[in-house]
Amino acid sequence: MTVSSPELRRISPPLALAALALGLGLGAHGQEPSPETSTDPWPDTSAEPALELLSEWHHYGDTTTPEWSEAPPEPEAGWFTLEFDAPANVEERALELRSAHVDEAWIVKLNGVALGTLPRQQEVRRLLLAVPPGTLRDGPDLLEARPPKVGDDITLGGLRLLERGYREALGVRPLAVQVIDRATGAGVPARLVVLDAGGRAALLHYPGQSGHPTRSGVQYTDAEGRALPELGAGVWTVHAMRGTEWSHASAVVRMPEDSGTAAVQLVIEREVDTRGWLSCDTHLHTYTFSGHGDATLEERVMTLAGEGVDVAVATDHNHQTDYAPTQRALGLSAEYLSIIGNEVTTDLGHFNAFPYAREASKPNAKLKDWGELDADIRGHGAQIVILNHPRWPKPEEGPFGIEKLDLMSGDFGSGLRLPVDAIEIFNSSEPPERWKMVLADWFALRNSGSRVYGVASSDSHTVANPAAQGRTYLACAEDDPILAGEAAIVSAFQRGALSMSQGLFLEITADGAGPGEQITARGRKVAVKLRVAGASWANATRADLFLDGRRVRSEPLFKESGSFDHKLEFMLELPGHDCWLVALAQGPAPTGGWWTTLQSHLAALSNPILIDGDGDGAWRSPREIAAAMIDAHALDAAALGAALSEHDAAVAIQLATLWKQRPAASASFADAQALCAHSGPHETMMYRLLIEDSDAR
Amino acid sequence: MIPPRSLPLQMLAVAATALALAFAANSLHPQGLESSRDYFAKPQHSFQTVTMEEFTDFVTYLEDEAGDIVYLDARRSGQYQTGHVPGSWNVPRNDPAALEAALGALQVAAYVVIYCQGGHCEDSIFLAEDLVYRHGIDFSIVHIFEPGWEAWQKQGGAERAGADR
Amino acid sequence: MSARPTGWNLPRPLLRVALGAVFVGYGWLKFHDPYAYLKSVHEYGVLDGLKLGSMPVENLAAIGVPALEIIGGLLLALGIWRRGAAAWLALFLAAFTAMVFWRSLDPTVDPEHAQWWLRAFDCGCGTGKVIVWQKLTMNAVLLTALVLLGLRRDPELQAAP
């Protein structure tokens, strides 16, 4: 399997471990694994009258597996085929089977009709499949299970053709769900999560026939907020949610044993005020055009509506997908503005590029030079280029690892000048806390003079992994994304008027200016206003302010109950030179199986506000400030040290970087000592960076 | 050479020769000892410390908080693999890559606790100095858990083996 | 020749060379990494806190003992100041043997073994982890050899007219 998305890569090691553990377990016990495990979600059908097709365990595939004790070590055939006789069916029937050691999606077909796929699980799994009317015929019937490709060995057994139909035997019936917006009283698209009494994802039956994106325990509504999950008898909890800004509602539903149906209405409301901002997911995939994951184009378009996002950028791998025709067909055009983009997937890294015109040709993903690649991506029409997950798949194997980004200087060991507009800091499909590493990268880059911005996205490839859980808020005077239009969105990305979100909303101003803007400080203080808001299911426990990538303020946050909208104001002390300000908020992720996330925490992070601290009207980065100081005091290390004592640690680190790059002849050891000795609060640090480090070398 | 016949005199001669050669060899030895340094004095540092009780509270009750507390294990990676405080980052001495991997978490943490093996081990202090005086991490959030891993293990504190991050 | 003890198959000087070589070896292992040896001296705790002027006695031991073993072993092998060298080696060996025995009584040095003689720990003798009964046996053999071959007045010399 070629794995090229964070979520897939993340899932495979546990699977491999589970496989190993199970393999050892079976070998050790040497007995048939118990099929009726507690994780078996299917109702007991052992008393159902049935035609026994295959009672023993059999082995199919192409590899000898002596460690599997339940079936013969030698495969009987490359795949499973069985001829049997059963009367033609006018009514629906059900096929029961058990499988184990399944890695690939083996397709089960009866007389050429696909009934479903085997669960990709190492453990023994029982599975029931509906046999539609007319599938069985008079004369011999042919049942098959075939892998999509060779190289997978499975065991199969316990095949029974139930007399009764699937719906009848399992007691399945639809639950009519209506999700309502409290403000308007009208239906609103949403994501439903259905859990059983034990908090596990419910089996949603007939997933392919509902017309709704449906996976284990998850279904999205249509444009009117209606969904129709098919459930068995029992007690279920149905949760409705709609992304970052909306409340969460749930109801306990009892599906009766008889054939009666049930209905439930769930009322949610917008709880987070994001006026002046539009939410945008810049990283979205479909199975249709990316070739992996599982969300078809139609499903992606519906899931986006259910997550309440304002702007969606379609970024399939090396493909420019247009959501608009599908949105129109599904009545979802007004829900969000879609933009055609492309995740240009190259050896250098993955780049989200947008907007592209419908007829635009594709950039060349085979280019191996950063400058050429960036030019080619833009040459096809893109105005925004984002470097995705710079530390994926592993910190040292992602682009920033390969290019050897130095976290002290912010320079790349390879000499790379990063040409992109932004990097992905929050990617909700990445491992938890990976964003913190990218944050350190970003701080270093910004201090070295790079003007690269930070964005947040979901990188969702599937229905279950929520789209837009990571999302970027962009400043926009028009609150209707359709009216705002593509140009306003692009402009916000170009200006850096952006705030990153993973479950929390954060808004910051300094003397009235927001992210991407520049202010000239009057005096040594600036008035900072900070808003941290979240829905009732969310919480934020701390807000931090960073100047030049160093924390200067940390405030604990508390909420009583329900949604929250913390408004904080500070007079923030400035270092007296140009600097940049960002804010970060963090909180715990909600608990409960209804909240699907790969992340351990909620977070929000602003983009920089540039503060012209020396009042000269221009803004310079710590690198530029350090360079100017070295120029001004080229011949007097003591004076340079004294000047440095009036600057912050970021400038000191940049100055040390530049000092070490000077030709050896121009910097004597005595100069370095004089610089350290006069650098005031930075003396210890400068001594370490300039004297100890050169000793070590 | 005429050997002194009496045992005490011989012993004196042997001792004098051995000691003279001992100090000469020690001064030439690349890893020779500094004769008047007290190698086992409690190392001096100006960082804040956490007691065993505080450390226990952190690990027990605050494990799931919003990444507020970052634990750094300054021991060698082999020791870390054998057992460490759950969720801790392994940042051995002279391993800049390990430090850089943890740097982002340190920059947004509210509280950093560093430990090493215990018994006056110094690696936690060296690491704390690196954080503050090389990477500009706020001095006020850096803490050292002086009792160290040995004391933690002795009192049955939570531990995890293998790679954690 | 009548004074020559019976049962000796090897000439005594050769045996002394072998015995001396053992101590040179022990000394060399300690001298090789002075700080590691200092740490093992410290772990015994007997000299902890003692000072000779400004020098911690532990440092003196860590610098002096390996040299004494090497020089003592050489002198023993060469037969120069033989008895003086053997006396020092025997003194230190006896002292260290007592300390190893004392330490083996502490169950925390090796919690896996209840019987003290089965416990294994790094005695700081230069050879890494040892099992107590083996170490004590070895030391007893060495100590006997030191007394018989080094400390005793040479019977050959005594027998000379």
Side-chain angles (χ1 to χ4, degrees):
Chain A
M1 184 171 80
T2 45
V3 178
S4 53
S5 80
E7 61 196 295
L8 292 180
R9 182 68 72 110
R10 194 195 67 85
I11 286 162
S12 43
L15 270 183
L17 278 179
L20 187 68
L22 193 92
L24 292 173
L26 288 176
H29 293 100
Q31 60 190 24
E32 183 176 331
S34 163
E36 312 303 340
T37 55
S38 60
T39 52
D40 185 354
W42 299 91
D44 182 15
T45 49
S46 54
E48 288 283 324
L51 175 64
E52 302 285 340
L53 298 178
L54 194 69
S55 49
E56 301 296 309
W57 282 94
H58 295 260
H59 174 185
Y60 302 98
D62 46 23
T63 312
T64 305
T65 55
E67 67 276 19
W68 294 348
S69 55
E70 78 274 17
E74 295 298 332
E76 287 162 50
W79 60 84
F80 163 75
T81 52
L82 178 74
E83 270 196 17
F84 64 96
D85 264 320
N89 66 323
V90 186
E91 304 270 314
E92 180 197 53
R93 293 185 69 175
L95 180 71
E96 181 180 2
L97 56 86
R98 288 167 170 79
S99 64
H101 312 293
V102 183
D103 291 324
E104 302 291 340
W106 289 56
I107 298 168
V108 181
K109 282 185 180 176
L110 179 57
N111 294 331
V113 176
L115 303 182
T117 56
L118 298 183
R120 288 198 236 180
Q121 300 265 343
Q122 295 306 307
E123 305 88 340
V124 172
R125 283 281 172 235
R126 193 163 62 103
L127 175 69
L128 282 124
L129 296 167
V131 178
T135 311
L136 292 165
R137 58 191 176 208
D138 291 322
D141 295 292
L142 179 66
L143 183 61
E144 301 174 287
R146 283 183 187 241
K149 57 184 176 194
V150 295
D152 188 18
D153 279 59
I154 64 163
T155 57
L156 204 64
L159 263 89
R160 303 166 76 225
L161 184 65
L162 306 193
E163 294 294 333
R164 291 207 284 169
Y166 180 93
R167 181 177 294 281
E168 210 183 339
L170 299 180
V172 172
R173 61 205 67 114
L175 170 68
V177 181
Q178 174 72 61
V179 182
I180 300 284
D181 174 1
R182 189 186 301 279
T184 63
V188 63
R191 170 185 173 98
L192 301 181
V193 170
V194 188
L195 303 177
D196 69 10
R200 290 165 302 223
L203 271 180
L204 301 186
H205 302 277
Y206 301 106
Q209 295 169 33
S210 65
H212 299 269
T214 306
R215 297 294 182 273
S216 177
V218 177
Q219 187 169 87
Y220 281 85
T221 71
D222 63 12
E224 274 76 46
R226 290 172 310 216
L228 208 61
E230 300 262 12
L231 289 163
V235 177
W236 310 98
T237 311
V238 185
H239 301 264
M241 65 207 80
R242 188 175 149 73
T244 310
E245 299 151 33
W246 289 69
S247 67
H248 150 258
S250 68
V252 176
V253 178
R254 177 176 297 276
M255 298 298 281
E257 294 285 344
D258 58 35
S259 61
T261 56
V264 65
Q265 194 178 70
L266 291 160
V267 180
I268 58 173
E269 60 186 321
R270 177 187 275 278
E271 290 183 321
V272 182
D273 179 3
T274 59
R275 276 173 295 176
W277 298 84
L278 294 174
S279 65
C280 174
D281 189 346
T282 49
H283 197 163
L284 292 160
H285 292 274
T286 66
Y287 174 74
T288 314
F289 297 112
S290 286
H292 57 263
D294 69 15
T296 64
L297 174 59
E298 289 73 20
E299 287 177 326
R300 176 54 71 224
V301 165
M302 289 179 83
T303 58
L304 282 163
E307 296 295 345
V309 70
D310 297 316
V311 183
V313 184
T315 54
D316 283 310
H317 294 286
N318 295 326
H319 189 275
Q320 281 138 225
T321 306
D322 185 3
Y323 293 162
T326 313
Q327 278 181 278
R328 275 195 296 279
L330 295 170
L332 294 169
S333 296
E335 288 294 325
Y336 55 92
L337 175 73
S338 61
I339 295 177
I340 302 173
N342 184 339
E343 184 175 20
V344 186
T345 306
T346 77
D347 288 348
L348 298 175
H350 297 190
F351 302 85
N352 274 345
F354 62 91
Y356 281 113
R358 207 157 288 130
E359 62 281 1
S361 56
K362 286 190 283 187
N364 179 2
K366 297 204 160 46
L367 292 173
K368 301 205 184 312
D369 174 85
W370 284 80
E372 283 174 27
L373 180 64
D374 186 68
D376 190 61
I377 291 172
R378 293 177 200 272
H380 287 75
Q383 292 171 271
I384 302 297
V385 181
I386 300 165
L387 174 62
N388 301 334
H389 40 68
R391 291 288 183 176
W392 176 85
K394 287 183 186 162
E396 65 280 11
E397 291 169 10
F400 281 180
I402 291 168
E403 303 291 337
K404 304 213 178 316
L405 176 60
D406 179 65
L407 292 192
M408 294 285 288
S409 65
D411 290 334
F412 288 96
S414 65
L416 169 69
R417 309 286 298 177
L418 199 60
V420 299
D421 301 288
I423 59 172
E424 229 174 37
I425 296 180
F426 294 163
N427 173 318
S428 55
S429 297
E430 281 212 274
E433 298 199 85
R434 181 64 56 83
W435 65 268
K436 292 181 180 175
M437 183 158 198
V438 185
L439 182 74
D441 294 336
W442 189 50
F443 282 175
L445 281 168
R446 295 287 317 194
N447 281 338
S448 77
S450 167
R451 303 293 162 98
V452 76
Y453 300 121
V455 300
S457 75
S458 73
D459 200 0
S460 174
H461 286 67
T462 63
V463 168
N465 180 18
Q469 193 172 75
R471 57 175 72 186
T472 307
Y473 282 93
L474 48 100
C476 185
E478 171 56 57
D479 285 316
D480 182 332
I482 312 297
L483 295 177
E486 200 171 89
I489 312 303
V490 167
S491 160
F493 277 98
Q494 286 171 330
R495 287 178 284 127
L498 311 167
S499 189
M500 292 161 259
S501 163
Q502 179 137 309
L504 299 175
F505 176 71
L506 181 149
E507 195 178 12
I508 183 174
T509 62
D511 284 354
E517 295 180 329
Q518 180 180 322
I519 52 159
T520 297
R522 283 152 290 164
R524 291 289 288 255
K525 283 190 175 169
V526 70
V528 174
K529 289 187 182 172
L530 182 65
R531 247 191 88 205
V532 179
S536 44
W537 48 266
N539 193 8
T541 50
R542 190 154 55 86
D544 294 323
L545 294 183
F546 295 82
L547 275 181
D548 284 353
R550 260 134 201 103
R551 183 169 41 209
V552 291
R553 188 114 194 184
S554 188
E555 292 289 326
L557 302 173
F558 304 95
K559 77 161 190 174
E560 298 285 324
S561 62
S563 61
F564 57 94
D565 197 337
H566 302 296
K567 294 186 175 78
L568 293 83
E569 295 191 18
F570 315 97
M571 285 307 290
L572 191 67
E573 192 103 27
L574 297 173
H577 54 78
D578 296 355
C579 56
W580 55 279
L581 169 70
V582 299
L584 169 74
Q586 296 181 79
T591 51
W594 55 272
W595 172 260
T596 310
T597 187
L598 302 178
Q599 303 303 309
S600 50
H601 302 107
L602 304 182
L605 174 67
S606 79
N607 265 271
I609 300 171
L610 305 183
I611 300 174
D612 166 23
D614 57 14
D616 66 356
W619 185 86
R620 289 176 304 169
S621 68
R623 166 70 55 93
E624 291 160 314
I625 295 171
M629 284 165 64
I630 289 186
D631 286 345
H633 304 284
L635 299 173
D636 188 347
L640 180 59
L644 180 61
S645 69
E646 303 291 317
H647 290 72
D648 68 12
V651 176
I653 288 174
Q654 290 300 325
L655 192 131
T657 302
L658 294 175
W659 180 273
K660 285 190 281 191
Q661 288 168 0
R662 302 199 319 172
S666 71
S668 72
F669 183 74
D671 281 344
Q673 276 189 318
L675 168 56
C676 295
H678 290 84
S679 60
H682 306 305
E683 184 178 350
T684 313
M685 181 190 271
M686 293 305 281
Y687 186 83
R688 279 176 171 261
L689 296 178
L690 296 184
I691 306 219
E692 275 187 15
D693 280 6
S694 57
D695 279 358
R697 217 168 285 130
Chain B
M1 189 184 309
I2 301 164
R5 294 300 295 264
S6 89
L7 184 60
L9 280 178
Q10 273 198 11
M11 285 179 72
L12 206 63
V14 171
T17 314
L19 275 179
L21 288 171
F23 278 93
N26 182 63
S27 64
L28 295 174
H29 197 297
Q31 289 136 41
L33 299 174
E34 297 165 45
S35 58
S36 58
R37 174 173 163 193
D38 184 352
Y39 284 88
F40 304 100
K42 189 179 169 192
Q44 298 296 307
H45 65 83
S46 50
F47 296 99
Q48 299 169 83
T49 57
V50 293
T51 63
M52 179 63 87
E53 289 70 30
E54 291 166 326
F55 194 71
T56 308
D57 283 351
F58 291 160
V59 176
T60 312
Y61 301 112
L62 299 180
E63 203 182 348
D64 296 327
E65 281 299 303
D68 280 354
I69 301 182
V70 173
Y71 302 102
L72 296 182
D73 185 324
R75 300 173 305 151
R76 293 193 307 273
S77 68
Q79 295 174 303
Y80 177 88
Q81 293 281 338
T82 313
H84 55 261
V85 172
S88 61
W89 299 77
N90 185 208
V91 185
R93 202 167 173 193
N94 298 327
D95 188 346
L99 203 164
E100 295 203 338
L103 194 58
L106 293 164
Q107 283 169 330
V108 302
Y111 215 92
V112 178
V113 187
I114 313 177
Y115 66 88
C116 44
Q117 188 67 10
H120 298 173
C121 66
E122 290 173 300
D123 284 347
S124 51
I125 299 165
F126 295 138
L127 178 55
E129 286 172 348
D130 259 7
L131 297 186
V132 175
Y133 300 118
R134 197 175 290 272
H135 291 279
I137 298 295
D138 187 0
F139 179 86
S140 69
I141 67 166
V142 176
H143 297 73
I144 291 179
F145 174 55
E146 286 180 344
W149 176 252
E150 277 171 3
W152 178 246
Q153 212 182 20
K154 200 170 253 178
Q155 76 137 39
E159 65 176 284
R160 194 179 291 161
D164 208 341
R165 290 184 180 274
Chain C
M1 299 305 265
S2 63
R4 192 189 177 100
T6 52
W8 293 89
N9 297 324
L10 282 166
R12 295 169 62 87
L14 213 63
L15 287 170
R16 274 192 209 116
V17 169
L19 187 61
V22 169
F23 284 98
V24 171
Y26 278 155
W28 181 255
L29 287 171
K30 292 173 182 129
F31 177 72
H32 181 68
D33 187 350
Y35 182 66
Y37 181 57
L38 175 66
K39 275 210 291 199
S40 39
V41 170
H42 180 71
E43 274 168 19
Y44 282 95
V46 229
L47 303 175
D48 197 5
L50 297 180
K51 283 200 162 187
L52 199 73
S54 66
M55 191 197 318
V57 176
E58 285 180 344
N59 292 13
L60 179 64
I63 294 169
V65 170
L68 202 101
E69 285 186 326
I70 295 172
I71 303 297
L74 279 175
L75 293 174
L76 186 65
L78 295 174
I80 303 166
W81 297 333
R82 172 175 58 82
R83 296 180 63 234
W88 277 117
L89 292 175
L91 264 175
F92 275 100
L93 192 61
F96 280 124
T97 306
M99 276 154 61
V100 168
F101 169 67
W102 181 250
R103 194 146 162 235
S104 71
L105 299 180
D106 174 4
T108 62
V109 299
D110 180 7
E112 284 173 26
H113 293 97
Q115 292 91 352
W116 63 267
W117 60 88
L118 292 180
R119 288 182 183 139
F121 59 94
D122 185 350
C123 62
C125 321
T127 47
K129 244 183 190 184
V130 294
I131 300 167
V132 170
W133 72 266
Q134 290 175 353
K135 184 71 195 167
L136 293 187
T137 312
M138 180 67 184
N139 282 9
V141 169
L142 286 175
L143 208 52
T144 314
L146 277 175
V147 172
L148 290 179
L149 294 170
L151 217 48
R152 256 180 31 163
R153 286 183 187 282
D154 200 321
E156 285 165 56
L157 288 179
Q158 280 181 335

